Amino acid sequence: EEKKFWEFEYGWFPREGRGLKIAFESLSTGRIAIAKGCIGLSKQALHLSRWWAKKRSQLGGPLENKELVRDKLMYGAANIMAMEAMTTYASNCFDSGRDIRIEAAAVKVFASEKAWQIADNLAQIRGGRFYETWQSLSRREATPPDEIMWTGSRPNKIFEGANEILVQLMFREGTDKFIKAGAPLVSRDSPLAEKIKAVLKIAGYYINSAADSIALWFPEFLMNNELFIEHRSSKLSKQVLMKSLRYRSRLAVKQLTLDRLSRLAINLGAMALTNSYAKELDKINSGHSYCQLADLFCFRTRIEVDMLFRALNKNDDEYQWQVSKRLLAGDFDEFLLDGIIPMTEEHMRGPKET
């Protein structure tokens, strides 16, 4: 066979020059798989939390009757609903042949962080028993492998791309069209005509974004959440452009700002998908009112979203950066290392440099 035909037939020829994109796409399915694993871990952690809350009594009654314990249980239930909604959406996008780099990164970041918190809540509810190994504790009573769930949940925030890196990737990929359209506004050398064209393009993106959010149908029960999502999504778009204009090329190194912008997008997307997913579940299994879980998730997430918006424009990022230089230079060591024998490589295990 001719080389050209062979390459085209077996998929090599059309992919020439796209190696980096292919590599990123291959990571996407792994990130969705991690999110699915986080859902399984979270469900088991919630199940065990509820089991122990019913079984264990403290301060005059079972733990399940304590408000602080129920708060942790509801956190788990509401966020599992959101994790399922986001993972289902990302999986469907992949099945339809779409580029899911952003969706996969978002669901991996969201699910791994929520699963870690749910596992941490299990640790708090289980108390000292969580710290003891299950081999030791099982000599005295029936016990689940608590510490395995703990150690197994933490690496999910690192594997297939550390979460801190993925939120930076999300901003770069997800807002590329906004940045490109607004490039003439950023450049001081752009003529007035180009700047006017840029404004019109950006306005078009706003219209498309609004149309996408309105296309999601919510029951009347969740309409307040829909209005919140629509308003904050528009606000987020404006903030992306404002930060681009303010920092120009320096935006690439403003990691805390990019982190907040990406997490705003993740949270708003999670709210929209959770509302729609709950509505579909209620259609299939009427009488369970899954929308209540969605509403609880959205109520807490709305608080987080507004905190992130405030932090975008009122923060100590610059001051912290300046003080951190002194920390790295050792200016605070007299206080920070007082009372300990600071470890050096001589105290560490492993081969020593000669």
Side-chain angles (χ1 to χ4, degrees):
E1 294 180 272
E2 293 184 9
K3 182 173 182 288
K4 182 176 180 180
F5 174 81
W6 187 89
E7 288 176 331
F8 186 88
E9 180 72 10
Y10 294 96
W12 292 98
F13 182 72
R15 296 187 174 214
E16 277 189 10
R18 299 195 301 123
L20 184 61
K21 183 179 179 182
I22 294 168
F24 278 132
E25 288 173 350
S26 67
L27 287 171
S28 295
T29 52
R31 288 165 183 162
I32 294 176
I34 283 183
K36 289 293 288 184
C38 289
I39 293 172
L41 185 147
S42 298
K43 288 181 175 181
Q44 192 67 263
L46 177 61
H47 170 68
L48 292 174
S49 297
R50 187 173 58 178
W51 160 74
W52 190 244
K54 291 175 177 289
K55 185 179 178 69
R56 175 68 169 168
S57 290
Q58 194 70 278
L59 299 174
L63 291 179
E64 66 175 341
N65 291 337
K66 311 301 180 186
E67 196 174 51
L68 286 170
V69 173
R70 290 202 183 189
D71 176 70
K72 290 177 171 56
L73 296 177
M74 290 312 304
Y75 176 91
N79 279 282
I80 288 171
M81 168 76 73
M83 291 157 66
E84 285 276 19
M86 294 183 72
T87 306
T88 300
Y89 175 75
S91 300
N92 290 340
C93 289
F94 175 77
D95 290 342
S96 66
R98 285 178 51 184
D99 180 355
I100 59 163
R101 284 175 291 173
I102 298 172
E103 290 83 357
V107 70
K108 188 267 185 182
V109 170
F110 183 87
S112 61
E113 293 182 352
K114 299 303 181 182
W116 172 246
Q117 184 59 58
I118 292 169
D120 186 71
N121 288 343
L122 169 62
Q124 203 66 23
I125 291 171
R126 285 281 281 162
R129 285 173 170 83
F130 192 92
Y131 184 75
E132 189 173 355
T133 64
W134 71 272
Q135 292 96 332
S136 170
L137 186 57
S138 62
R139 296 170 187 166
R140 305 192 306 277
E141 59 185 64
T143 182
D146 293 322
E147 83 285 357
I148 295 176
M149 298 185 67
W150 174 270
T151 55
S153 63
R154 186 59 179 85
N156 291 321
K157 297 173 68 176
I158 302 170
F159 293 163
E160 298 289 352
N163 287 1
E164 291 82 358
I165 301 300
L166 290 183
V167 293
Q168 309 292 310
L169 172 70
M170 281 184 60
F171 181 87
R172 188 188 70 195
E173 298 291 336
T175 61
D176 186 55
K177 62 183 181 182
F178 286 94
I179 301 301
K180 285 183 178 178
L185 297 174
V186 178
S187 174
R188 290 191 179 95
D189 300 327
S190 299
L192 179 59
E194 286 190 22
K195 292 187 177 182
I196 293 173
K197 288 179 183 179
V199 172
L200 293 175
K201 286 184 180 180
I202 291 166
Y205 288 137
Y206 281 156
I207 292 167
N208 292 337
S209 299
D212 290 342
S213 65
I214 292 169
L216 289 167
W217 182 86
F218 301 137
E220 186 176 352
F221 182 65
L222 299 174
M223 280 304 295
N224 284 338
N225 296 328
E226 190 273 341
L227 294 173
F228 179 90
I229 294 165
E230 185 177 346
H231 176 266
R232 297 307 191 276
S233 295
S234 176
K235 185 177 180 180
L236 174 59
S237 298
K238 294 173 185 176
Q239 284 292 327
V240 169
L241 290 173
M242 287 174 62
K243 298 304 178 186
S244 301
L245 289 168
R246 177 181 176 184
Y247 294 115
R248 303 176 188 272
S249 60
R250 290 178 55 231
L251 184 61
V253 297
K254 298 293 294 181
Q255 292 184 332
L256 290 172
T257 296
L258 299 185
D259 186 273
R260 294 179 188 115
L261 291 170
S262 293
R263 290 182 186 280
L264 280 165
I266 291 173
N267 283 330
L268 291 170
M271 290 176 67
L273 292 171
T274 304
N275 284 338
S276 295
Y277 186 69
K279 178 208 65 172
E280 292 300 322
L281 288 180
D282 279 341
K283 275 186 182 179
I284 298 169
N285 302 297
S286 59
H288 291 284
S289 193
Y290 290 108
C291 283
Q292 286 187 321
L293 288 180
D295 198 35
L296 281 170
F297 169 76
C298 288
F299 185 87
R300 296 186 181 209
T301 307
R302 287 164 70 165
I303 296 172
E304 184 177 349
V305 164
D306 284 339
M307 288 177 62
L308 285 167
F309 271 120
R310 284 194 294 271
L312 272 175
N313 299 309
K314 190 175 182 181
N315 56 65
D316 63 353
D317 296 354
E318 297 290 346
Y319 182 52
Q320 178 178 255
W321 179 259
Q322 296 302 321
V323 177
S324 69
K325 294 178 182 178
R326 295 188 57 208
L327 172 67
L328 292 170
D331 289 357
F332 305 116
D333 283 1
E334 184 176 348
F335 163 71
L336 295 176
L337 302 181
D338 182 44
I340 67 169
I341 300 174
M343 270 197 173
T344 66
E345 291 186 10
E346 292 298 318
H347 301 110
M348 302 176 190
R349 293 182 179 182
K352 302 293 189 293
E353 295 183 4
T354 57

